[in-house]
Each structure stands twice: as structure tokens, then as C-alpha cells.
Amino acid sequence: MGQPVRDYLLTLCVAAAVTYLLTGPVRKFAIAIGAMPAIRARDVHREPTPRLGGIAMFGGLCAGLIVASHLFNLGGVFELSNEPRALLSGAALIWLIGVLDDKFEIDALIKLGGQMIAAAVMVIQGLTILWLPIPGIGTVALTPWQGTLLTVALVVVTINAVNFVDGLDGLAAGMVCIAAAAFFLYTYRLWYGYGIEAAAPATLFAAILMGMCLGFLPHNMHPARIFMGDSGSMLIGLVLAAGAISVTGQVDPDAMKLFEGSERQATHAMLPVFIPLLLPLTIIAIPAADLVLAIVRRTWNGQSPFAADRGHLHHRLLEIGHSHSRSVLIMYFWSALIAFGAVGYSVHSASMWIVLVIVFLSAVGLVLLLLPRFTPRAPRWANSMVPPRYRRRRRPAELPADSVPAAEGAVAPEAHGSHLAEAAEDADRPRVAVGVSGVNGATAIGTRSRFSDRRRANSSR
């Protein structure tokens, strides 16, 4: 095969374009059939928003696979492997279950059973883990039952991890897109760099998954016009798991010609073989950590592990004081740091500067996490050059004479009337604490609500 970068780019663009163009009609369809559930206690949006965005994402998946099957450099993936068909079969099943859940709210145990069945469908068609490269032992062949159980477990964990993190506008789609980009770089290096054809299906899955997420994000960024729902979150979780399963256990160490030189050199060279064991965990590290913490928290409180609550990582970011958009960007940052850090270390494991960069960026991430805990004040001479939240406030004695009455609470003559009534109305209205989830746009600069003007205008929101 020739160098298929352009073919991958074309496949990605087709998946993104189809997903983007289908999302608008799907939104109207969701509104027409009433797929707009009432706002729940754990939700962070303020008005009912249509779901079923997974329908458009499934259309992008199908379009990407169809286009790839007709391309010269990617057509061989469908001829030499049955994995794309296995992915499509499992994706169709999990997508159908998600659509039913978005409309009718099916039971959590039924969804769990559907996830296991979808994973089993892929296993039957050949998308399974055949062996594992174990450090210090070598390649260990798995029995059919062991491979099946491990495959089903990885699919279920990945699907639920992505589903749990889907709590803010654009969060799940963006994090999965970042993970897919890191995974694409890794699998493409295995395929084109080492000539391992077994990595070709995983590379294709990662490119299509990036297109699905990129096409949906413009409609899903804050404030979101449509949610992907379980039909979308479970779908992209399954595609992500399918890519990890496809490449894990498919890498042949003998084909990579790594056993040359000293033992230390061979150990460093073998790192790309061991990375498939770690990379699926790193690309979902944040969602998986949220999943584990949620299970422990709910079990500790005597609740079902499937009971919904407001203790997820994104909820905690809002409670700290981050705004909606900043919380999403922080989650993006940590996902990219972990995923691309693992990929970079697999390429140059002996380079100390990679470790130093990761440590430095981790420190930057910690500062971003703690940013609402302290509000630095700029010098007064720099007030005009910084945002209002960082400006140093003047004392009442330093204010101009014409502004003192306003500072002391005096009201101008023209304010007696409708403005006074509005002020009384605002005083009676309950205040919302900073960062309380359930309020989109809560910021770290005060307890103001940006929807007060719309209430005065008798808006339906």
C-alpha cells in the first residue's frame, strides 16, 4: 500500500461533513418526536434540549466506512480483515439501544446487557484480543474464552466511561476526539513505520471517530443546541474500544525486528509492543477515573452504582468555581496531556525532555484547576490592561465625588419607578452560588445571573 495520509484525511472529512449536515435535521426530528426530557437534578443546562445526536454520528460512521472501502490505499483493510464489518454490526446494535434509551429511558441493566451483546457480536466476527504482550514474559496466547471475556470487559468499561463523562456541552465529543487523535498517531506509526498491516483497521477506526466527533462538536459546544445522548456516547465509546481491541494483541514483535543490540536497547525498543496494554487506558484515563470514583462514591453511600448523582468530575469543577467553558477546556487539557504524553513516550522513551515537559504541563494543569481558589489582583496602573475580574477595586474614599452616592446605595431620581421595582424583584429572587451546577455560565467572579434580563422581558427561558 502507498502512503495513505490523504485517504485518511478524506475519510475523516467525509465522516465529519456527513455528521455535521445530519445533525440539524436530526435536531428537528428529535423535537418533533419529543426526545427532549425534562431537566433533571444532575443536569447543568437550563432548558430542555433535544437528544438523539447519535443518529447523525452513526450516519458519519457509515459514510466513513463506505468511502474508505472504495479508496485504493484503504480498500485492502476490508479485503484482508473482517474487523470493519464487525465494528459496524456492534455499532448498529449499541446505537439502536441508545436511541431507544434517549426516547423511552430504558433500564440501566438492560443497557448493560445490550453493551455485552454488542461486544459479543464483534467477538463472533473476529474483532477480539488474541494474545497479550506481557513485560518480562513475552507474548501470551489467550484461550477463546479468555479473549472473549477480556474483549467484552474492555468494551463495557470504555462505553460506560465515555457515557459517564458526557455531562457538559462538548465534553464527551471533545475528549474522545483528542483520544482518537492520539490513538491515530500511534497506530499509524505501527502500520506505516513498521509495516504491520494488522494495525490498519485500528488506524481507520481512529480517523473515522475523529470525523464523527469533529462534525458533531459545532452543534454541541456551549450552549449546546443538541445532545448526543446515549445513542452517541455509547456509540463513540464502542468505536474507541474497537480500535484499542483491534491493535492490542495484533502487534507481532518479530515483525518489528526489535530484538537486536543489547538487552537495554531491546527493552526500550519493545516499549511500542507494551503500549497497546496502556494506551487504551490512557486515552480514557479521565473518564475511567470518573467511572471508578462514581462507583465507589455511590456504593459507599449505599446507592446503586448506576444511580445518577452530581459528583462527577465536571460537576466538581463547576462547584470549585470554574465556568462551563473553562471546565470543558480543563478536561480537554488533561485528556490531551495523558494521551499524547503516552504516545510521545512510546516514540522516544529514552528522552528525558519528554518527561520534563509532561511534568511541567502537569504543574500548569494543577494551577488551572486551583485558579478559582485565588484571584490575583493587578496593580492599579495596569487596571486598563487586564480583565475586570483581576482589577483592584478602589476604596470609597478614592472614588470621584459624582460616583459616591452610587457607591453608598443612593438612587438617582430617574431610577424611582420601574427600575426600583426591578431592583426589589431582584432582591426577592434567590441567589445562586458560584459554580453551582445547573446554571450554565456560572463564573468565578460573582453570584450574578445572566438570565435576569430575559426574565424581565417575559422570556420563555
Side-chain angles (χ1 to χ4, degrees), residues 345-428:
Y345 188 72
S346 69
V347 176
H348 297 288
S349 59
S351 299
M352 183 57 64
W353 67 269
I354 294 181
V355 178
L356 296 178
V357 169
I358 294 175
V359 172
F360 172 75
L361 292 178
S362 299
V364 173
L366 291 176
V367 172
L368 293 177
L369 285 175
L370 300 176
L371 190 60
R373 294 299 185 183
F374 61 92
T375 304
R377 298 298 180 185
R380 291 173 184 170
W381 57 267
N383 278 350
S384 60
M385 298 182 289
V386 296
R389 69 179 68 181
Y390 301 120
R391 295 174 184 172
R392 189 179 299 275
R393 296 188 179 93
R394 295 183 180 181
R395 298 192 182 106
E398 299 176 357
L399 294 175
D402 55 351
S403 63
V404 171
E408 296 176 350
V411 181
E414 60 270 13
H416 293 282
S418 61
H419 294 286
L420 198 58
E422 291 174 0
E425 179 185 353
D426 287 340
D428 296 334

